[in-house]
Amino acid sequence: MTRPPRLARLLLHRLALPDDRPFIVDDLDEEFMDRVKDRGPFSTRAWYVSQVMLSLPSLVRLRLSHRDPHRIRTPMFPDFGSDLRDALRRARRNPLSAAAIILISALGIGASTAVYTVVHAVLMTPLPFAGSERVVRIENMVPRLANEASYLPSDTWTDFLAWRERARSFEVLAGLWEGGTMRAFTLAEETTSLPVAIVTEGFDNLLGVRPLIGRSFVVDEYRFGGPHVMALSEQMWRTRFGADSGVVGRTIVVSDAPRLVVGVFPDANDFPGPVAAWIPLAPVPETSMARGRMSFLALHGRLRPGVTVDQARAEMQSLIAETATTDAQRERVARVTLLSEKLTGPVRPVLLLLTAVVAVTLLVAAGNVALLLLAQAEARSRELSIRLSLGSALSRLARKLAVESVLLAGIGGALGLLLAKVLVSKLVAFYPGRLARADDISIGPPVMLVAAAMTIVVGLVAAWPLLRRLRSADLATGLREGTVSASPAALRVRRTLMIGQLAFAVAMVTSGGMLVRTFVNLLRVNPGFDATGVGYISVSSSVVRYPDRAVLLGRLQRAQEVVRGLPGVTEVASVTYLPLPSRIIGYGTRMMRADDPAQREYSIQFRHMSPEYVDVMRIPVRQGRSLTASDDATGADVALINETLARSAFPAGNALGRAITVQSRTYTVVGILGDMKYWGLAQPVIGEVYVSASQSSLSFRSIVFKSTVDPAIVGAAARAAIRAADETIVVSQSGRLADRVAAASAPERFRALLVGSLAILAFILAGFGLYAVSAHAVAMRSREIGIRVALGATGGRVRRSVLRDTFVLGASGTAIGLALAWAASRGLTAFLTDVSGFDLMIGGTAAGLFLVLSLIAAALPAVRASRVDPLIAMRSE
Amino acid sequence: MSKGDHLAEFELCVIAALAHLGGDSYGAAIRKNIADRGRRLVSIGAIYATLRRLESKGFVRFYIEGARPVQGGRARKRAVLTVAGRAALKRSASLFSRMLDGLTPRPS
């Protein structure tokens, strides 16, 4: 017979005034019974729930207004104190099992709180400036290498001017320069290279910048020829200038040009990042920047109220069509993304993955706690039976058990919170690259609330099977037999719990295995160069101090010679951009084939290198030749391209000898180099063009060297030697190239380590669970086993039967777990490299491990079972 | 007219339903009556809460009817319309009819 939904019914009962209670519930039940005949159980149950839900407001109001001052208030949890004392006493009497419960809930709650903290800070807290929810990043993408998955954003100064004039979707449209944002600050006779934000007009307005002291920039300062000004960041102001308000009006030498400090801006560590100063962008006319040849401008806008992201995107797309002058420009695709999404974008899937993994760990832990509590309760079934038969209400006992499990989970939760504090700092420190919102991460009140909620959930989830058992089991028989667990319902609960726990653990181990495999695969990826014994040191000089290009290059060349002279250094070369940068600097530029009537654009990375670079890095020359010393400023304009670019721009395979145009200059392709991983080991290879460093006018380069001693030591020595030789050279970073390669697989290592260790935790928990279930089954069956042995069953046979039972349990859990893992692998694909959606070998290995685990877990109970003495077993009853 | 005599819309519904049911009925029947006649969603909790309020105004009183020896017979809490309750119903009804007289509300 269909019955009203139990939970809703209980809620109604709980909320009604004590005098009305039986009547209101009976009334609703009566109607339920009438309705169910006509309308069927499903819709009637839904009706019942809606009745209860609709009743809530009136009942709550009634209760609030109906406080009888003379009535003795019965608290929500009567006898809570005595229940608590009881629970504590019991925990003391049974310290091992209490400790196990506390430990398991601490691990589960600790891990989940830690991850929730990070998720909360990164994904849920808005950016700290007004109107930030309407700020978008605008990208104007060029298809790169005809591969739709790898579009590159590309905005130029001229794009900015055009969009700003025409776009109607935005209140403010402003840009942030992303190419070359390090500047040499001369402070107290010492020159330091520090990051700056170079911004167009309106950027301060976009972020709602209110200068702490002084003012922001004025229109004149954004024009070439206008006053050279800057604003310090709050951090710079405090650390370097002791928060001296007299700094406004002072002049600081930046990249050898004096700049007037007009104000101090508050820190904006989320966006644009931790910068030392802000500088207005004022392009020099007729330079490649001013003519729109350099696509380093990150455009941002604040949407007008009521304008959606999609509308803005549509407008930008139509503006592209209006302002394009070539077919290639018309092919560009507008992309408009909310800034908050842009900032957390790359982290979001990782955090979601972590959340899923942690939720599963929490479930496995709760399942384990439930099994332990169940075992405890079984040991007490005689006591519970006596209490019941003496007239204790079922609800009273249920409350007692709930208080007990919530108490233990609560202690576990408190410990878990401590654990979470440690884990959070480890997570933030360990996360490769800067976690976009790392500064906001701490365990605050909202996180505490969630942790408390999780504690109660673990406690109640763990107590749930017990309460169910209390309801279903015939406790009177418990009195007689001394145990209630013999009932098939109780066994079912245990086995279901165990299978569920196993299934989740198997899914975790399989997913963890796939992530570990991805990491291992990445370690095997050939980056296209040999980093062994190679070190690097990045240097820059100043265009302002040395406007003559030859002098500038001579200075940089001299730094290179200084490195060559260091002991242990065998080879030296230089390049403008080193592979595998820790953050994305520069979005590349465009290349066209000189003879292409369609003027098709290929997005490429453009590098200047010394001829030895190919040798130091051991980059293979596939066709043609490498650069030589004669390819200098006086020689012909020649270029090397990589295989990928050769394939896509010259599909006929005739790249050698052809002319290409990059930044308005035409080069002849003389050689094709092997592909190199540039952005990351798992990233697709991008098109690259190399030309001679002596044709460069860039004021910075990275010197790479091969040495017989540790490159890190050489790097440190080189830093000192360069400074001694030429104090105008600014050294920004140095180190081993191998470390950059290792850092490039850091995200994968992070994921593999985290999920892997949680998977091991789940595996161990599952092992304990299996052992507990198996040992418990043997204990419960001791009489039956005794009879079997008395009837002639051999020890081997008894052992086999115990092993078989646990093995069947393990196998069913594993089967479901594999299905779960298969489903989960679809969500995982984004994190996998060279691992097919669901790796059969990993799945098989995990399954094998769990099957072996179930046998190992059952081994001890099996041996114990075979030693059952029939006489003792039967006497004990 | 003191505030205590005033009937809110839903209170009027409950009193009217009670009157339709012979001036003596219980929660489920009143709820069903309003739901059918008023063609609106009515929750059992609202009925009980309103009856309580009407009781405090003196318009209804309760008594417990013992279980009858039939299938499904159970104890019920029944509400009876008092004399004051009937008077209030009459007052409110005539107030409404006077106020609405001459208006032709379009049935929606």
Side-chain angles (χ1 to χ4, degrees):
Chain A
M1 190 168 72
T2 313
R3 272 195 304 209
R6 230 181 326 167
L7 211 62
R9 195 166 183 271
L10 196 74
L11 192 64
L12 185 67
H13 188 266
R14 195 70 245 183
L15 277 169
L17 286 179
D19 298 351
D20 291 342
R21 246 173 221 166
F23 307 109
I24 190 167
V25 173
D26 280 351
D27 274 4
L28 201 55
D29 283 359
E30 179 186 304
E31 281 201 77
F32 180 87
M33 291 307 169
D34 286 345
R35 275 177 97 94
V36 82
K37 284 177 215 136
D38 306 340
R39 313 196 185 193
F42 184 78
S43 95
T44 310
R45 284 171 75 90
W47 171 84
Y48 193 98
V49 173
S50 77
Q51 271 292 318
V52 172
M53 289 302 148
L54 289 171
S55 295
L56 294 187
S58 2
L59 290 181
V60 169
R61 229 173 304 142
L62 187 64
R63 274 195 86 117
L64 291 179
S65 66
H66 215 80
R67 283 214 184 112
D68 181 354
H70 303 297
R71 198 169 60 105
I72 301 159
R73 298 241 323 124
T74 52
M76 274 285 261
F77 291 101
D79 313 317
F80 181 72
S82 82
D83 281 351
L84 202 63
R85 270 193 302 281
D86 235 35
L88 280 172
R89 200 178 311 132
R90 200 172 300 285
R92 263 208 305 279
R93 216 183 305 149
N94 213 339
L96 215 63
S97 123
I101 293 172
I102 290 172
L103 185 73
I104 292 168
S105 17
L107 285 175
I109 293 170
S112 20
T113 308
V115 172
Y116 178 80
T117 304
V118 177
V119 172
H120 178 84
V122 173
L123 293 186
M124 300 186 197
T125 319
L127 284 167
F129 55 86
S132 65
E133 71 286 347
R134 283 188 285 130
V135 172
V136 291
R137 168 80 203 265
I138 305 154
E139 287 158 312
N140 161 23
M141 318 283 280
V142 183
R144 181 182 66 188
L145 303 178
N147 175 0
E148 188 155 352
S150 52
Y151 275 40
L152 277 181
S154 151
D155 295 314
T156 65
W157 176 253
T158 44
D159 290 337
F160 164 61
L161 295 179
W163 305 153
R164 183 174 62 170
E165 194 178 318
R166 294 160 191 246
R168 293 281 155 265
S169 302
F170 311 100
E171 283 177 349
V172 191
L173 189 75
L176 175 71
W177 191 248
E178 291 202 320
T181 52
M182 299 297 280
R183 288 287 180 275
F185 284 76
T186 308
L187 302 163
E189 301 306 310
E190 195 201 343
T191 305
T192 336
S193 183
L194 293 171
V196 293
I198 304 168
V199 299
T200 67
E201 197 183 335
F203 203 81
D204 46 353
N205 175 4
L206 184 84
L207 299 190
V209 169
R210 291 220 177 78
L212 295 176
I213 53 173
R215 58 168 177 86
S216 191
F217 308 126
V218 295
V219 180
D220 224 25
E221 290 158 354
Y222 290 103
R223 281 200 200 111
F224 175 71
H228 280 55
V229 295
M230 67 188 285
L232 296 176
S233 74
E234 182 181 355
Q235 205 232 346
M236 175 88 164
W237 178 55
R238 292 195 188 282
T239 55
R240 300 275 181 149
F241 297 93
D244 173 16
S245 56
V247 77
V248 171
R250 265 171 65 182
T251 298
I252 295 174
V253 176
V254 178
S255 297
D256 289 315
R259 277 185 184 274
L260 181 73
V261 177
V262 295
V264 173
F265 286 5
D267 280 337
N269 290 340
D270 283 325
F271 180 75
V275 295
W278 302 63
I279 292 175
L281 178 63
V284 183
E286 297 310 310
T287 55
S288 48
M289 185 203 288
R291 279 185 292 158
R293 305 235 176 259
M294 294 172 78
S295 42
F296 287 127
L297 200 59
L299 289 189
H300 295 83
R302 185 166 61 231
L303 297 174
R304 278 185 202 287
V307 175
T308 66
V309 170
D310 285 324
Q311 286 165 348
R313 183 181 304 131
E315 190 194 10
M316 289 311 294
Q317 193 64 59
S318 67
L319 283 182
I320 285 176
E322 271 176 41
T323 55
T325 49
T326 66
D327 281 349
Q329 282 180 0
R330 257 181 283 281
E331 277 174 24
R332 294 182 196 174
V333 178
R335 191 164 75 177
V336 176
T337 329
L338 282 175
L339 181 62
S340 53
E341 277 173 26
K342 192 82 193 162
L343 289 179
T344 58
V347 197
R348 184 184 286 258
V350 182
L351 291 178
L352 290 181
L353 170 80
L354 285 185
T355 312
V357 164
V358 161
V360 168
T361 316
L362 197 66
L363 273 178
V364 172
N368 227 309
V369 171
L371 279 175
L372 285 169
L373 280 171
L374 214 54
Q376 240 187 21
E378 262 151 21
R380 294 166 55 190
S381 53
R382 196 186 288 266
E383 175 215 323
L384 292 178
S385 312
I386 293 172
R387 276 174 188 272
L388 267 185
S389 54
L390 287 181
S392 179
L394 201 62
S395 61
R396 177 80 185 74
L397 283 185
R399 207 153 52 214
K400 215 172 173 55
L401 291 173
V403 165
E404 250 185 76
S405 71
V406 172
L407 171 79
L408 292 180
I411 300 176
L415 285 177
L417 218 55
L418 288 180
L419 180 69
K421 239 182 148 56
V422 179
L423 281 178
V424 164
S425 61
K426 288 270 179 289
L427 268 180
V428 172
F430 198 67
Y431 190 82
R434 211 169 66 88
L435 208 53
R437 321 279 308 268
D439 299 337
D440 301 340
I441 297 174
S442 64
I443 297 185
V447 177
M448 295 275 205
L449 269 179
V450 171
M454 282 196 283
T455 301
I456 291 171
V457 166
V458 169
L460 289 183
V461 165
W464 175 244
L466 256 184
L467 301 182
R468 260 184 70 124
R469 281 257 326 277
L470 271 183
R471 260 176 204 290
S472 64
D474 176 9
L475 282 161
T477 59
L479 240 187
R480 219 175 321 115
E481 294 173 7
T483 166
V484 281
S485 61
S487 81
L491 274 175
R492 249 199 327 272
V493 169
R494 277 181 158 272
R495 297 178 78 89
T496 315
L497 262 176
M498 193 57 231
I499 289 176
Q501 198 185 329
L502 268 172
F504 281 121
V506 169
M508 285 263 303
V509 168
T510 311
S511 311
M514 292 199 276
L515 290 172
V516 170
R517 177 99 182 240
T518 294
F519 174 57
V520 172
N521 282 347
L522 269 194
L523 290 186
R524 291 206 201 110
V525 165
N526 175 14
F529 55 87
D530 180 6
T532 323
V534 177
Y536 64 93
I537 178 163
S538 301
V539 295
S540 58
S541 186
S542 158
V543 195
V544 179
R545 186 172 290 183
Y546 308 110
D548 184 345
R549 201 169 60 116
V551 178
L552 183 91
L553 289 182
R555 292 251 160 191
L556 291 175
Q557 193 60 36
R558 199 161 328 135
Q560 196 168 324
E561 294 315 312
V562 168
V563 176
R564 194 190 299 280
L566 290 173
V569 173
T570 51
E571 297 168 60
V572 176
S574 71
V575 71
T576 42
Y577 294 99
L578 273 177
L580 305 176
S582 56
R583 65 190 194 98
I584 291 183
I585 33 152
Y587 283 119
T589 180
R590 299 168 203 152
M591 181 208 88
M592 283 176 279
R593 268 168 29 215
D595 57 0
D596 182 9
Q599 295 278 290
R600 226 184 331 263
E601 292 175 326
Y602 298 87
S603 202
I604 56 145
Q605 293 291 316
F606 190 49
R607 317 205 192 296
H608 294 81
M609 67 172 188
S610 72
E612 307 89 354
Y613 182 63
V614 170
D615 304 325
V616 174
M617 300 284 279
R618 307 283 187 267
I619 305 168
V621 178
R622 298 287 186 215
Q623 276 184 52
R625 64 171 176 92
S626 177
L627 295 182
T628 65
S630 61
D631 296 318
D632 56 10
T634 57
D637 285 345
V638 295
L640 305 179
I641 63 177
N642 68 350
E643 276 180 299
T644 297
L645 182 61
R647 251 198 317 275
S648 65
F650 304 97
N654 53 354
L656 282 189
R658 303 285 289 276
I660 57 173
T661 309
V662 181
Q663 290 176 358
S664 330
R665 195 158 161 176
T666 303
Y667 301 89
T668 311
V669 176
V670 294
I672 297 173
L673 294 180
D675 279 341
M676 204 157 66
K677 292 284 185 183
Y678 186 78
W679 289 124
L681 296 173
Q683 303 291 324
V685 171
I686 48 180
E688 289 187 281
V689 175
Y690 294 90
V691 300
S692 170
S694 48
Q695 291 167 347
S696 161
S697 57
L698 293 172
S699 60
F700 59 90
R701 60 174 61 170
S702 289
I703 301 170
V704 290
F705 54 85
K706 208 159 176 94
S707 67
T708 50
V709 289
D710 184 351
I713 298 171
V714 178
R719 194 179 273 265
I722 290 172
R723 178 154 290 173
D726 182 348
E727 58 183 17
T728 66
I729 295 279
V730 178
V731 177
S732 50
Q733 50 173 343
S734 66
R736 303 182 191 97
L737 195 60
D739 289 345
R740 281 173 89 110
V741 178
S745 58
E748 285 76 13
R749 193 182 59 194
F750 177 71
R751 292 196 283 264
L753 193 82
L754 206 96
V755 179
S757 43
L758 286 179
I760 290 171
L761 179 68
F763 184 73
I764 294 171
L765 286 180
F768 279 121
L770 277 170
Y771 168 76
V773 168
S774 164
H776 177 262
V778 168
M780 290 300 126
R781 284 175 55 198
S782 67
R783 185 150 76 151
E784 177 218 319
I785 294 170
I787 293 171
R788 280 172 191 266
V789 172
L791 290 178
T794 61
R797 207 172 158 151
V798 171
R799 275 197 294 274
R800 270 198 302 281
S801 112
V802 173
L803 285 179
R804 198 192 314 120
D805 276 3
T806 315
F807 188 79
V808 166
L809 202 60
S812 355
T814 306
I816 299 174
L818 283 180
L820 269 179
W822 178 79
S825 65
R826 283 149 186 276
L828 267 179
T829 39
F831 304 107
L832 302 179
T833 313
D834 297 338
V835 179
S836 64
F838 179 69
D839 194 307
L840 272 181
M841 210 192 75
I842 292 170
T845 312
L849 278 176
F850 274 89
L851 293 181
V852 171
L853 179 75
S854 62
L855 288 181
I856 292 174
L860 200 64
V863 170
R864 213 181 291 144
S866 68
R867 292 203 187 130
V868 164
D869 184 331
L871 277 180
I872 297 174
M874 284 188 280
R875 206 184 305 142
S876 75
E877 292 299 320
Chain B
M1 204 159 76
S2 75
K3 189 167 178 271
D5 298 335
H6 174 76
L7 279 183
E9 185 195 46
F10 195 65
E11 289 173 346
L12 179 64
C13 289
V14 171
I15 285 203
L18 201 51
H20 278 296
L21 292 166
D24 179 353
S25 192
Y26 66 104
I30 299 171
R31 198 204 71 77
K32 203 161 161 13
N33 190 285
I34 302 178
D36 293 346
R37 197 180 283 276
R39 278 178 240 130
R40 59 184 275 186
L41 207 57
V42 186
S43 79
I44 188 78
I47 300 289
Y48 269 77
T50 309
L51 283 175
R52 281 270 176 184
R53 220 163 32 242
L54 291 172
E55 184 199 23
S56 69
K57 291 178 180 177
F59 296 156
V60 300
R61 77 194 144 68
F62 293 112
Y63 71 98
I64 309 282
E65 173 198 48
R68 281 167 300 166
V70 294
Q71 165 99 48
R74 58 176 176 89
R76 284 175 175 150
K77 185 170 187 170
R78 298 187 73 100
V80 187
L81 212 49
T82 61
V83 177
R86 286 195 188 279
L89 175 61
K90 213 166 156 188
R91 244 192 339 267
S92 288
S94 61
L95 171 71
F96 271 89
S97 68
R98 280 198 307 276
M99 288 307 295
L100 299 178
D101 193 24
L103 291 180
T104 48
R106 218 180 295 252
S108 54

